[in-house]
Amino acid sequence: MATFELYRRSTIGMCLTETLDEMVQNGTLSPELAIQVLVQFDKSMTEALETQVKSKVSIKGHLHTYRFCDNVWTFILQDALFKNEDSQENVGRVKIVACDSKLLSQ
Amino acid sequence: MAASTTSQVYIDVIEDVMVKVRDEFTNNGGPGEEVLRELQAIWESKMIQAGAVLGPIERSSGANKPTPGGPITPVHDLNVPYEGTEEYETPTAEILFPPTPLQTPIQTPLPGTGDTPTYNIPTGPSDYPSSGNDTAGGNADVKGGRPGTYMQPPSPWINQRPPLDVNVAYVEGREEADRGASNQPMTQDFFTMPGGKRKRNDLPPQYDAGGYIPQQDGSGDAASGNFEIEVCGGGISINSQHTSFKGKMPADLERLASRIPQLDGPIPYEDDVLSTPNIYNYGGVYSEDYNIANTPAPPEVPASTPALVAQNEVANEDDDDEPPLNENDDDDMDDLDQGDDQNTHHLVLAQFDKVTRTKSRWKCTLKDGIMHINNKDILFNKATGEFDF
C-alpha cells in the first residue's frame, strides 16, 4: 500500500517523530525500527482519515502563492476562511500542502 | 466537536500503530514490549501537551503511565545537557578551581619548546574539534569533567561554543565573526577554515598552521595576559587539567586573532595577489581568461602591475562575490523557510483530487486532510477551495 509521508508534518506526526528521535538518540530504539514505525503511522493515519472522518470543509481566500512540484500542490492563502459543519475559522495566512490522491490508488 | 473527534481519531491512530508495530518490537531481537509502551507513552504525552489529544481520554495509557514518567524525564535530560545543564555545571566547577591560571604561565613557555610534556594542551585542541563536530552530549560530558577544574572565564566560552558549533557548522562563519562575539568567531574559525581551504588553496596552509601551532603559542600569549590574574589562585595539583584548559583559552584567543585575518582574508588575498599574480592564475577556476592574460603579465611585473591589479580585482571580485553569494543564498533560504514557518502556523495537509483554474479563480477539491488552524486540529474527509489569485 502506497502511503504519503505528508501527514508526518501534522501535530500527531510531529509528536511521533520527536518521540522517535529521542528514543533513537537514547539508544532505546534503532533507526530502522523508528522508520518502520513512521511508515506504519503513514498507513494508519491515511486509513483513519479515509474511514473515520466524514466532515466536509470549505475554504475561501486570496491565493498568495501557488506551486505544483513533484505532484504536490502548495497554496499559500491570505485571509482565508475555513468553514465546516459546526464552526468557522479565519486565518490571516495559511499554507495548504496537497499530494495527488491518485497516487495512492495506484 | 471537531476537537473531540480529532482527538479520538488520533488516539485510534496511535493505538493502530502500536498494534501493527508490536511484532517488530517483540520479534527478531526487537527492543521488546517495554520500549513499545514507552514509545506510546511519550507520544501520547506529547500529544496531550500539544493539546491535540484530550488528556483524560487515555484508555490504555493508564497502565503505561508509570513507565512513561520514567522515560520522559530521561529524554528531557538528554536535551538539557546540550545547553543548560552543562553551562551551569561548568561555571561552578571552574569557580572552585581558580588556581589553574598559575599553571598556565608555566605551560605557556613549554608549548614552544617541549610539546610532548605539555600533553594536556594537545588534549585541549582535540576537545575543540570534537565539540564542534560531535553532538553536544559528548562535549558536555568531556567538559563537565574538566571544566570544573578550570577557571571561570574559560568555562563560559567553552560552554557557549557547543551550542554555537551546532549552528555554525554549516552556517556562514564570516558574518557571525563580524558580529564580534568572541565565542562565535572561535567556533566559526574551526569550520570556516575548512571552507577557506576549499575556496582558496593558498589560505588553508596559513590557517592550519595558525590553528594548531598558534594555539599552543597563543596560550603563552594569552597566558601572559592572564598570568597576573591567574597568579592569585594557586592550585598546582590540577595543573595537567588546567593546562589543557588554558591551552583551550589561548587557542581561543589565537583563533580570535586568526579570525581577523579570515574576515580580512579577501583583502590580504588581494595584497598577495598583487605581489604574486601567479597564484591567481593557478587558483582562479572561475576566470580562465584571466589566467591567460596573467601568464604573460608575471614577467613584466612592474609594468604590468596596473593591468594585473585590474584583472586581479576582477578576479577578486569574483571570489569575493561567490563565497558571500553562497552564504547569502543559504541565509536567504533559511530566512524564507523561517519566514514561511513563522508566518504559517496554520497548515493544511491533504490530498487533492482536482485543481482547476479559470483566469484568476482557482478551485480545488481536497480530501483526507489534517488542518492545524488557530491551534486546533481539524480533520476533514472532503474540502473544497475557492481562491482568488
Side-chain angles (χ1 to χ4, degrees), chain A residues 6-7 11 22 26 44 52 55 57 59 62-63 89 91 95 97-99 101, chain B residues 16 75 78 346 348 350 352-353 368 374 376-377 379 381-384 386 388:
Chain A
L6 173 76
Y7 301 121
T11 306
E22 292 171 1
N26 264 342
S44 298
Q52 297 191 36
S55 61
V57 171
I59 309 169
H62 172 70
L63 183 59
E89 300 283 347
V91 177
K95 180 147 87 175
V97 181
C99 297
S101 63
Chain B
D16 192 48
V75 175
L78 292 177
H346 316 286
V348 177
F352 68 85
D353 280 331
D368 296 347
N374 292 336
K376 283 185 288 190
D377 275 29
L379 310 180
N381 178 44
K382 280 204 178 305
T384 57
E386 294 182 13
D388 291 322

PDB file of all heavy atoms in Angstrom, chain A residues 6-7 11 22 26 44 52 55 57 59 62-63 89 91 95 97-99 101, chain B residues 16 75 78 346 348 350 352-353 368 374 376-377 379 381-384 386 388:
ATOM      1  N   LEU A   6       3.236  12.779   3.952  1.00  0.00           N
ATOM      2  CA  LEU A   6       2.650  14.094   4.150  1.00  0.00           C
ATOM      3  C   LEU A   6       2.214  14.346   5.584  1.00  0.00           C
ATOM      4  O   LEU A   6       2.504  15.384   6.171  1.00  0.00           O
ATOM      5  CB  LEU A   6       1.455  14.204   3.207  1.00  0.00           C
ATOM      6  CG  LEU A   6       0.547  15.409   3.294  1.00  0.00           C
ATOM      7  CD1 LEU A   6       1.231  16.600   2.658  1.00  0.00           C
ATOM      8  CD2 LEU A   6      -0.767  15.113   2.587  1.00  0.00           C
ATOM      9  N   TYR A   7       1.532  13.361   6.150  1.00  0.00           N
ATOM     10  CA  TYR A   7       0.897  13.596   7.448  1.00  0.00           C
ATOM     11  C   TYR A   7       1.899  13.612   8.600  1.00  0.00           C
ATOM     12  O   TYR A   7       1.522  13.885   9.738  1.00  0.00           O
ATOM     13  CB  TYR A   7      -0.177  12.535   7.694  1.00  0.00           C
ATOM     14  CG  TYR A   7      -1.254  12.533   6.640  1.00  0.00           C
ATOM     15  CD1 TYR A   7      -1.517  11.403   5.876  1.00  0.00           C
ATOM     16  CD2 TYR A   7      -1.996  13.680   6.397  1.00  0.00           C
ATOM     17  CE1 TYR A   7      -2.503  11.413   4.908  1.00  0.00           C
ATOM     18  CE2 TYR A   7      -2.980  13.689   5.419  1.00  0.00           C
ATOM     19  CZ  TYR A   7      -3.230  12.561   4.682  1.00  0.00           C
ATOM     20  OH  TYR A   7      -4.200  12.576   3.712  1.00  0.00           O
ATOM     21  N   THR A  11       0.345  17.550  13.639  1.00  0.00           N
ATOM     22  CA  THR A  11       0.664  17.544  15.068  1.00  0.00           C
ATOM     23  C   THR A  11       0.990  16.138  15.542  1.00  0.00           C
ATOM     24  O   THR A  11       2.008  15.909  16.209  1.00  0.00           O
ATOM     25  CB  THR A  11      -0.531  18.081  15.870  1.00  0.00           C
ATOM     26  OG1 THR A  11      -0.897  19.356  15.343  1.00  0.00           O
ATOM     27  CG2 THR A  11      -0.170  18.211  17.329  1.00  0.00           C
ATOM     28  N   GLU A  22      13.970  11.085  19.946  1.00  0.00           N
ATOM     29  CA  GLU A  22      14.512  11.000  21.296  1.00  0.00           C
ATOM     30  C   GLU A  22      14.905   9.569  21.631  1.00  0.00           C
ATOM     31  O   GLU A  22      15.964   9.321  22.216  1.00  0.00           O
ATOM     32  CB  GLU A  22      13.483  11.504  22.307  1.00  0.00           C
ATOM     33  CG  GLU A  22      13.232  13.008  22.194  1.00  0.00           C
ATOM     34  CD  GLU A  22      12.068  13.446  23.054  1.00  0.00           C
ATOM     35  OE1 GLU A  22      11.486  12.578  23.740  1.00  0.00           O
ATOM     36  OE2 GLU A  22      11.747  14.651  23.034  1.00  0.00           O
ATOM     37  N   ASN A  26      18.476   8.135  22.435  1.00  0.00           N
ATOM     38  CA  ASN A  26      18.671   7.420  23.697  1.00  0.00           C
ATOM     39  C   ASN A  26      19.387   6.105  23.494  1.00  0.00           C
ATOM     40  O   ASN A  26      20.021   5.598  24.396  1.00  0.00           O
ATOM     41  CB  ASN A  26      17.302   7.101  24.319  1.00  0.00           C
ATOM     42  CG  ASN A  26      16.923   8.133  25.328  1.00  0.00           C
ATOM     43  OD1 ASN A  26      17.778   8.864  25.796  1.00  0.00           O
ATOM     44  ND2 ASN A  26      15.659   8.189  25.659  1.00  0.00           N
ATOM     45  N   SER A  44      -1.540   4.120   8.942  1.00  0.00           N
ATOM     46  CA  SER A  44      -2.649   4.202   9.897  1.00  0.00           C
ATOM     47  C   SER A  44      -3.353   5.544   9.795  1.00  0.00           C
ATOM     48  O   SER A  44      -4.582   5.609   9.885  1.00  0.00           O
ATOM     49  CB  SER A  44      -2.119   4.001  11.323  1.00  0.00           C
ATOM     50  OG  SER A  44      -1.547   2.722  11.463  1.00  0.00           O
ATOM     51  N   GLN A  52     -12.636   7.025   9.152  1.00  0.00           N
ATOM     52  CA  GLN A  52     -13.268   7.571  10.349  1.00  0.00           C
ATOM     53  C   GLN A  52     -13.757   9.000  10.186  1.00  0.00           C
ATOM     54  O   GLN A  52     -14.590   9.463  10.968  1.00  0.00           O
ATOM     55  CB  GLN A  52     -12.278   7.536  11.520  1.00  0.00           C
ATOM     56  CG  GLN A  52     -11.852   6.139  11.916  1.00  0.00           C
ATOM     57  CD  GLN A  52     -11.093   6.161  13.228  1.00  0.00           C
ATOM     58  OE1 GLN A  52     -11.411   6.932  14.105  1.00  0.00           O
ATOM     59  NE2 GLN A  52     -10.087   5.308  13.336  1.00  0.00           N
ATOM     60  N   SER A  55     -16.300  14.582   7.886  1.00  0.00           N
ATOM     61  CA  SER A  55     -16.659  16.002   7.839  1.00  0.00           C
ATOM     62  C   SER A  55     -16.205  16.634   6.521  1.00  0.00           C
ATOM     63  O   SER A  55     -15.302  16.155   5.835  1.00  0.00           O
ATOM     64  CB  SER A  55     -16.016  16.747   9.007  1.00  0.00           C
ATOM     65  OG  SER A  55     -14.618  16.647   8.923  1.00  0.00           O
ATOM     66  N   VAL A  57     -15.340  20.405   4.564  1.00  0.00           N
ATOM     67  CA  VAL A  57     -14.852  21.746   4.852  1.00  0.00           C
ATOM     68  C   VAL A  57     -14.832  22.553   3.564  1.00  0.00           C
ATOM     69  O   VAL A  57     -14.570  22.006   2.486  1.00  0.00           O
ATOM     70  CB  VAL A  57     -13.422  21.682   5.448  1.00  0.00           C
ATOM     71  CG1 VAL A  57     -12.820  23.071   5.554  1.00  0.00           C
ATOM     72  CG2 VAL A  57     -13.434  21.008   6.809  1.00  0.00           C
ATOM     73  N   ILE A  59     -13.101  26.082   1.909  1.00  0.00           N
ATOM     74  CA  ILE A  59     -12.008  27.021   2.124  1.00  0.00           C
ATOM     75  C   ILE A  59     -12.113  28.140   1.105  1.00  0.00           C
ATOM     76  O   ILE A  59     -12.262  27.883  -0.098  1.00  0.00           O
ATOM     77  CB  ILE A  59     -10.632  26.332   1.965  1.00  0.00           C
ATOM     78  CG1 ILE A  59     -10.558  25.059   2.814  1.00  0.00           C
ATOM     79  CG2 ILE A  59      -9.505  27.283   2.305  1.00  0.00           C
ATOM     80  CD1 ILE A  59      -9.365  24.187   2.510  1.00  0.00           C
ATOM     81  N   HIS A  62      -7.689  34.481  -0.446  1.00  0.00           N
ATOM     82  CA  HIS A  62      -6.885  35.054  -1.515  1.00  0.00           C
ATOM     83  C   HIS A  62      -5.651  34.197  -1.707  1.00  0.00           C
ATOM     84  O   HIS A  62      -4.898  33.946  -0.760  1.00  0.00           O
ATOM     85  CB  HIS A  62      -6.490  36.486  -1.169  1.00  0.00           C
ATOM     86  CG  HIS A  62      -5.508  37.071  -2.129  1.00  0.00           C
ATOM     87  ND1 HIS A  62      -5.851  37.385  -3.426  1.00  0.00           N
ATOM     88  CD2 HIS A  62      -4.197  37.380  -2.004  1.00  0.00           C
ATOM     89  CE1 HIS A  62      -4.775  37.876  -4.043  1.00  0.00           C
ATOM     90  NE2 HIS A  62      -3.770  37.884  -3.196  1.00  0.00           N
ATOM     91  N   LEU A  63      -5.453  33.761  -2.928  1.00  0.00           N
ATOM     92  CA  LEU A  63      -4.328  32.879  -3.214  1.00  0.00           C
ATOM     93  C   LEU A  63      -3.075  33.721  -3.408  1.00  0.00           C
ATOM     94  O   LEU A  63      -2.939  34.442  -4.394  1.00  0.00           O
ATOM     95  CB  LEU A  63      -4.623  32.050  -4.456  1.00  0.00           C
ATOM     96  CG  LEU A  63      -3.577  31.013  -4.854  1.00  0.00           C
ATOM     97  CD1 LEU A  63      -3.358  30.025  -3.724  1.00  0.00           C
ATOM     98  CD2 LEU A  63      -3.990  30.293  -6.119  1.00  0.00           C
ATOM     99  N   GLU A  89     -13.360  29.298  10.877  1.00  0.00           N
ATOM    100  CA  GLU A  89     -12.124  29.883  11.374  1.00  0.00           C
ATOM    101  C   GLU A  89     -11.585  30.855  10.342  1.00  0.00           C
ATOM    102  O   GLU A  89     -11.600  30.575   9.137  1.00  0.00           O
ATOM    103  CB  GLU A  89     -11.069  28.784  11.601  1.00  0.00           C
ATOM    104  CG  GLU A  89     -11.476  27.732  12.609  1.00  0.00           C
ATOM    105  CD  GLU A  89     -11.348  28.229  14.042  1.00  0.00           C
ATOM    106  OE1 GLU A  89     -10.717  29.290  14.229  1.00  0.00           O
ATOM    107  OE2 GLU A  89     -11.893  27.562  14.938  1.00  0.00           O
ATOM    108  N   VAL A  91      -8.238  32.938   9.126  1.00  0.00           N
ATOM    109  CA  VAL A  91      -6.788  32.851   9.250  1.00  0.00           C
ATOM    110  C   VAL A  91      -6.152  33.860   8.310  1.00  0.00           C
ATOM    111  O   VAL A  91      -6.550  33.983   7.147  1.00  0.00           O
ATOM    112  CB  VAL A  91      -6.298  31.440   8.893  1.00  0.00           C
ATOM    113  CG1 VAL A  91      -4.796  31.391   8.953  1.00  0.00           C
ATOM    114  CG2 VAL A  91      -6.902  30.417   9.829  1.00  0.00           C
ATOM    115  N   LYS A  95      -0.972  27.792   4.889  1.00  0.00           N
ATOM    116  CA  LYS A  95      -0.343  27.019   3.817  1.00  0.00           C
ATOM    117  C   LYS A  95      -1.092  25.713   3.638  1.00  0.00           C
ATOM    118  O   LYS A  95      -1.395  25.019   4.623  1.00  0.00           O
ATOM    119  CB  LYS A  95       1.122  26.752   4.137  1.00  0.00           C
ATOM    120  CG  LYS A  95       1.824  25.945   3.049  1.00  0.00           C
ATOM    121  CD  LYS A  95       3.275  26.325   2.891  1.00  0.00           C
ATOM    122  CE  LYS A  95       4.194  25.583   3.813  1.00  0.00           C
ATOM    123  NZ  LYS A  95       5.606  25.888   3.552  1.00  0.00           N
ATOM    124  N   VAL A  97      -0.821  22.105   1.745  1.00  0.00           N
ATOM    125  CA  VAL A  97       0.038  21.177   1.015  1.00  0.00           C
ATOM    126  C   VAL A  97      -0.801  19.947   0.686  1.00  0.00           C
ATOM    127  O   VAL A  97      -1.365  19.324   1.582  1.00  0.00           O
ATOM    128  CB  VAL A  97       1.264  20.773   1.850  1.00  0.00           C
ATOM    129  CG1 VAL A  97       2.151  19.819   1.069  1.00  0.00           C
ATOM    130  CG2 VAL A  97       2.049  22.007   2.274  1.00  0.00           C
ATOM    131  N   ALA A  98      -0.874  19.640  -0.594  1.00  0.00           N
ATOM    132  CA  ALA A  98      -1.738  18.537  -1.000  1.00  0.00           C
ATOM    133  C   ALA A  98      -1.030  17.638  -2.007  1.00  0.00           C
ATOM    134  O   ALA A  98      -0.502  18.107  -3.023  1.00  0.00           O
ATOM    135  CB  ALA A  98      -3.031  19.083  -1.606  1.00  0.00           C
ATOM    136  N   CYS A  99      -1.027  16.358  -1.696  1.00  0.00           N
ATOM    137  CA  CYS A  99      -0.469  15.368  -2.621  1.00  0.00           C
ATOM    138  C   CYS A  99      -1.583  14.853  -3.537  1.00  0.00           C
ATOM    139  O   CYS A  99      -2.767  14.948  -3.228  1.00  0.00           O
ATOM    140  CB  CYS A  99       0.121  14.198  -1.838  1.00  0.00           C
ATOM    141  SG  CYS A  99       1.498  14.654  -0.783  1.00  0.00           S
ATOM    142  N   SER A 101      -4.101  12.564  -4.913  1.00  0.00           N
ATOM    143  CA  SER A 101      -4.796  11.406  -4.341  1.00  0.00           C
ATOM    144  C   SER A 101      -4.723  10.196  -5.270  1.00  0.00           C
ATOM    145  O   SER A 101      -4.825   9.059  -4.822  1.00  0.00           O
ATOM    146  CB  SER A 101      -6.257  11.763  -4.079  1.00  0.00           C
ATOM    147  OG  SER A 101      -6.902  12.060  -5.304  1.00  0.00           O
TER     148      SER A 101
ATOM    149  N   ASP B  16      -3.588   2.027  16.669  1.00  0.00           N
ATOM    150  CA  ASP B  16      -3.412   1.201  15.474  1.00  0.00           C
ATOM    151  C   ASP B  16      -1.933   1.006  15.158  1.00  0.00           C
ATOM    152  O   ASP B  16      -1.486  -0.099  14.836  1.00  0.00           O
ATOM    153  CB  ASP B  16      -4.124   1.865  14.289  1.00  0.00           C
ATOM    154  CG  ASP B  16      -4.226   0.920  13.096  1.00  0.00           C
ATOM    155  OD1 ASP B  16      -4.625  -0.237  13.296  1.00  0.00           O
ATOM    156  OD2 ASP B  16      -3.886   1.347  11.970  1.00  0.00           O
ATOM    157  N   VAL B  75      14.527  11.628  28.709  1.00  0.00           N
ATOM    158  CA  VAL B  75      14.547  12.324  27.433  1.00  0.00           C
ATOM    159  C   VAL B  75      14.886  13.780  27.642  1.00  0.00           C
ATOM    160  O   VAL B  75      15.745  14.343  26.997  1.00  0.00           O
ATOM    161  CB  VAL B  75      13.175  12.221  26.736  1.00  0.00           C
ATOM    162  CG1 VAL B  75      13.189  13.060  25.466  1.00  0.00           C
ATOM    163  CG2 VAL B  75      12.868  10.778  26.433  1.00  0.00           C
ATOM    164  N   LEU B  78      18.451  14.398  28.281  1.00  0.00           N
ATOM    165  CA  LEU B  78      19.304  14.368  27.112  1.00  0.00           C
ATOM    166  C   LEU B  78      19.340  15.736  26.461  1.00  0.00           C
ATOM    167  O   LEU B  78      20.376  16.223  26.052  1.00  0.00           O
ATOM    168  CB  LEU B  78      18.775  13.352  26.091  1.00  0.00           C
ATOM    169  CG  LEU B  78      18.897  11.911  26.564  1.00  0.00           C
ATOM    170  CD1 LEU B  78      18.296  10.982  25.548  1.00  0.00           C
ATOM    171  CD2 LEU B  78      20.348  11.579  26.804  1.00  0.00           C
ATOM    172  N   HIS B 346      -0.451  28.086  10.514  1.00  0.00           N
ATOM    173  CA  HIS B 346      -1.635  27.346  10.101  1.00  0.00           C
ATOM    174  C   HIS B 346      -1.291  26.522   8.870  1.00  0.00           C
ATOM    175  O   HIS B 346      -0.709  27.030   7.916  1.00  0.00           O
ATOM    176  CB  HIS B 346      -2.771  28.309   9.801  1.00  0.00           C
ATOM    177  CG  HIS B 346      -2.898  29.386  10.831  1.00  0.00           C
ATOM    178  ND1 HIS B 346      -3.415  29.159  12.075  1.00  0.00           N
ATOM    179  CD2 HIS B 346      -2.538  30.686  10.803  1.00  0.00           C
ATOM    180  CE1 HIS B 346      -3.391  30.286  12.769  1.00  0.00           C
ATOM    181  NE2 HIS B 346      -2.859  31.228  12.029  1.00  0.00           N
ATOM    182  N   VAL B 348      -2.433  23.125   6.314  1.00  0.00           N
ATOM    183  CA  VAL B 348      -3.395  22.114   5.880  1.00  0.00           C
ATOM    184  C   VAL B 348      -2.635  21.051   5.105  1.00  0.00           C
ATOM    185  O   VAL B 348      -1.930  21.361   4.143  1.00  0.00           O
ATOM    186  CB  VAL B 348      -4.491  22.724   4.985  1.00  0.00           C
ATOM    187  CG1 VAL B 348      -5.435  21.638   4.494  1.00  0.00           C
ATOM    188  CG2 VAL B 348      -5.270  23.788   5.745  1.00  0.00           C
ATOM    189  N   ALA B 350      -3.200  17.584   3.019  1.00  0.00           N
ATOM    190  CA  ALA B 350      -4.324  16.860   2.425  1.00  0.00           C
ATOM    191  C   ALA B 350      -3.887  16.214   1.118  1.00  0.00           C
ATOM    192  O   ALA B 350      -2.730  16.308   0.716  1.00  0.00           O
ATOM    193  CB  ALA B 350      -5.497  17.810   2.183  1.00  0.00           C
ATOM    194  N   PHE B 352      -5.121  16.057  -2.981  1.00  0.00           N
ATOM    195  CA  PHE B 352      -6.010  16.776  -3.890  1.00  0.00           C
ATOM    196  C   PHE B 352      -6.590  15.813  -4.913  1.00  0.00           C
ATOM    197  O   PHE B 352      -5.898  14.910  -5.408  1.00  0.00           O
ATOM    198  CB  PHE B 352      -5.287  17.935  -4.586  1.00  0.00           C
ATOM    199  CG  PHE B 352      -4.231  17.519  -5.565  1.00  0.00           C
ATOM    200  CD1 PHE B 352      -4.562  17.197  -6.880  1.00  0.00           C
ATOM    201  CD2 PHE B 352      -2.908  17.468  -5.190  1.00  0.00           C
ATOM    202  CE1 PHE B 352      -3.586  16.828  -7.788  1.00  0.00           C
ATOM    203  CE2 PHE B 352      -1.927  17.096  -6.085  1.00  0.00           C
ATOM    204  CZ  PHE B 352      -2.268  16.770  -7.393  1.00  0.00           C
ATOM    205  N   ASP B 353      -7.859  16.019  -5.183  1.00  0.00           N
ATOM    206  CA  ASP B 353      -8.499  15.262  -6.252  1.00  0.00           C
ATOM    207  C   ASP B 353      -8.403  16.029  -7.557  1.00  0.00           C
ATOM    208  O   ASP B 353      -8.160  15.463  -8.618  1.00  0.00           O
ATOM    209  CB  ASP B 353      -9.979  15.009  -5.918  1.00  0.00           C
ATOM    210  CG  ASP B 353     -10.134  13.841  -4.954  1.00  0.00           C
ATOM    211  OD1 ASP B 353      -9.278  12.939  -4.989  1.00  0.00           O
ATOM    212  OD2 ASP B 353     -11.095  13.837  -4.174  1.00  0.00           O
ATOM    213  N   ASP B 368      -9.254  13.879   2.708  1.00  0.00           N
ATOM    214  CA  ASP B 368      -8.428  13.255   3.738  1.00  0.00           C
ATOM    215  C   ASP B 368      -7.370  14.225   4.253  1.00  0.00           C
ATOM    216  O   ASP B 368      -6.157  13.978   4.142  1.00  0.00           O
ATOM    217  CB  ASP B 368      -7.751  11.997   3.195  1.00  0.00           C
ATOM    218  CG  ASP B 368      -8.763  10.933   2.833  1.00  0.00           C
ATOM    219  OD1 ASP B 368      -9.933  11.088   3.225  1.00  0.00           O
ATOM    220  OD2 ASP B 368      -8.390   9.975   2.154  1.00  0.00           O
ATOM    221  N   ASN B 374      -5.453  27.929  13.952  1.00  0.00           N
ATOM    222  CA  ASN B 374      -5.740  28.595  15.229  1.00  0.00           C
ATOM    223  C   ASN B 374      -5.553  27.627  16.391  1.00  0.00           C
ATOM    224  O   ASN B 374      -6.360  27.573  17.315  1.00  0.00           O
ATOM    225  CB  ASN B 374      -7.170  29.156  15.224  1.00  0.00           C
ATOM    226  CG  ASN B 374      -7.308  30.296  14.231  1.00  0.00           C
ATOM    227  OD1 ASN B 374      -6.314  30.948  13.894  1.00  0.00           O
ATOM    228  ND2 ASN B 374      -8.517  30.523  13.745  1.00  0.00           N
ATOM    229  N   LYS B 376      -5.904  24.608  16.565  1.00  0.00           N
ATOM    230  CA  LYS B 376      -6.821  23.478  16.645  1.00  0.00           C
ATOM    231  C   LYS B 376      -6.541  22.528  15.481  1.00  0.00           C
ATOM    232  O   LYS B 376      -6.242  22.967  14.378  1.00  0.00           O
ATOM    233  CB  LYS B 376      -8.279  23.954  16.579  1.00  0.00           C
ATOM    234  CG  LYS B 376      -8.773  24.542  17.888  1.00  0.00           C
ATOM    235  CD  LYS B 376     -10.250  24.879  17.806  1.00  0.00           C
ATOM    236  CE  LYS B 376     -10.494  26.079  16.926  1.00  0.00           C
ATOM    237  NZ  LYS B 376     -11.880  26.586  16.993  1.00  0.00           N
ATOM    238  N   ASP B 377      -6.648  21.269  15.771  1.00  0.00           N
ATOM    239  CA  ASP B 377      -6.507  20.273  14.726  1.00  0.00           C
ATOM    240  C   ASP B 377      -7.894  19.875  14.245  1.00  0.00           C
ATOM    241  O   ASP B 377      -8.740  19.482  15.043  1.00  0.00           O
ATOM    242  CB  ASP B 377      -5.754  19.038  15.249  1.00  0.00           C
ATOM    243  CG  ASP B 377      -4.253  19.236  15.142  1.00  0.00           C
ATOM    244  OD1 ASP B 377      -3.820  20.401  15.208  1.00  0.00           O
ATOM    245  OD2 ASP B 377      -3.532  18.236  14.992  1.00  0.00           O
ATOM    246  N   LEU B 379      -9.881  17.589  11.250  1.00  0.00           N
ATOM    247  CA  LEU B 379      -9.748  16.616  10.162  1.00  0.00           C
ATOM    248  C   LEU B 379     -10.925  16.770   9.223  1.00  0.00           C
ATOM    249  O   LEU B 379     -12.030  17.137   9.637  1.00  0.00           O
ATOM    250  CB  LEU B 379      -9.722  15.198  10.739  1.00  0.00           C
ATOM    251  CG  LEU B 379      -8.741  14.957  11.888  1.00  0.00           C
ATOM    252  CD1 LEU B 379      -8.817  13.514  12.359  1.00  0.00           C
ATOM    253  CD2 LEU B 379      -7.333  15.322  11.483  1.00  0.00           C
ATOM    254  N   ASN B 381     -12.837  14.995   5.601  1.00  0.00           N
ATOM    255  CA  ASN B 381     -12.898  13.971   4.581  1.00  0.00           C
ATOM    256  C   ASN B 381     -12.852  14.602   3.198  1.00  0.00           C
ATOM    257  O   ASN B 381     -12.200  14.096   2.288  1.00  0.00           O
ATOM    258  CB  ASN B 381     -14.185  13.156   4.746  1.00  0.00           C
ATOM    259  CG  ASN B 381     -14.336  12.097   3.687  1.00  0.00           C
ATOM    260  OD1 ASN B 381     -13.377  11.407   3.387  1.00  0.00           O
ATOM    261  ND2 ASN B 381     -15.522  11.979   3.126  1.00  0.00           N
ATOM    262  N   LYS B 382     -13.560  15.723   3.084  1.00  0.00           N
ATOM    263  CA  LYS B 382     -13.531  16.448   1.816  1.00  0.00           C
ATOM    264  C   LYS B 382     -13.444  17.928   2.093  1.00  0.00           C
ATOM    265  O   LYS B 382     -13.957  18.425   3.111  1.00  0.00           O
ATOM    266  CB  LYS B 382     -14.810  16.159   1.017  1.00  0.00           C
ATOM    267  CG  LYS B 382     -14.777  14.827   0.291  1.00  0.00           C
ATOM    268  CD  LYS B 382     -15.722  14.858  -0.895  1.00  0.00           C
ATOM    269  CE  LYS B 382     -15.670  13.531  -1.661  1.00  0.00           C
ATOM    270  NZ  LYS B 382     -14.300  13.184  -2.081  1.00  0.00           N
ATOM    271  N   ALA B 383     -12.818  18.614   1.174  1.00  0.00           N
ATOM    272  CA  ALA B 383     -12.753  20.064   1.290  1.00  0.00           C
ATOM    273  C   ALA B 383     -12.789  20.664  -0.104  1.00  0.00           C
ATOM    274  O   ALA B 383     -12.216  20.123  -1.053  1.00  0.00           O
ATOM    275  CB  ALA B 383     -11.476  20.488   2.005  1.00  0.00           C
ATOM    276  N   THR B 384     -13.489  21.771  -0.202  1.00  0.00           N
ATOM    277  CA  THR B 384     -13.496  22.495  -1.470  1.00  0.00           C
ATOM    278  C   THR B 384     -12.882  23.861  -1.241  1.00  0.00           C
ATOM    279  O   THR B 384     -13.177  24.524  -0.243  1.00  0.00           O
ATOM    280  CB  THR B 384     -14.929  22.675  -1.989  1.00  0.00           C
ATOM    281  OG1 THR B 384     -15.690  23.360  -0.995  1.00  0.00           O
ATOM    282  CG2 THR B 384     -15.561  21.328  -2.291  1.00  0.00           C
ATOM    283  N   GLU B 386     -11.928  27.674  -2.904  1.00  0.00           N
ATOM    284  CA  GLU B 386     -12.093  28.674  -3.960  1.00  0.00           C
ATOM    285  C   GLU B 386     -11.194  29.852  -3.624  1.00  0.00           C
ATOM    286  O   GLU B 386     -11.400  30.522  -2.608  1.00  0.00           O
ATOM    287  CB  GLU B 386     -13.556  29.137  -4.052  1.00  0.00           C
ATOM    288  CG  GLU B 386     -14.503  28.033  -4.493  1.00  0.00           C
ATOM    289  CD  GLU B 386     -15.926  28.541  -4.626  1.00  0.00           C
ATOM    290  OE1 GLU B 386     -16.111  29.782  -4.616  1.00  0.00           O
ATOM    291  OE2 GLU B 386     -16.836  27.708  -4.752  1.00  0.00           O
ATOM    292  N   ASP B 388      -8.940  33.340  -4.967  1.00  0.00           N
ATOM    293  CA  ASP B 388      -8.661  34.381  -5.953  1.00  0.00           C
ATOM    294  C   ASP B 388      -7.175  34.658  -5.930  1.00  0.00           C
ATOM    295  O   ASP B 388      -6.592  34.870  -4.867  1.00  0.00           O
ATOM    296  CB  ASP B 388      -9.429  35.666  -5.605  1.00  0.00           C
ATOM    297  CG  ASP B 388     -10.921  35.476  -5.813  1.00  0.00           C
ATOM    298  OD1 ASP B 388     -11.266  34.793  -6.787  1.00  0.00           O
ATOM    299  OD2 ASP B 388     -11.694  35.983  -4.990  1.00  0.00           O
TER     300      ASP B 388
END
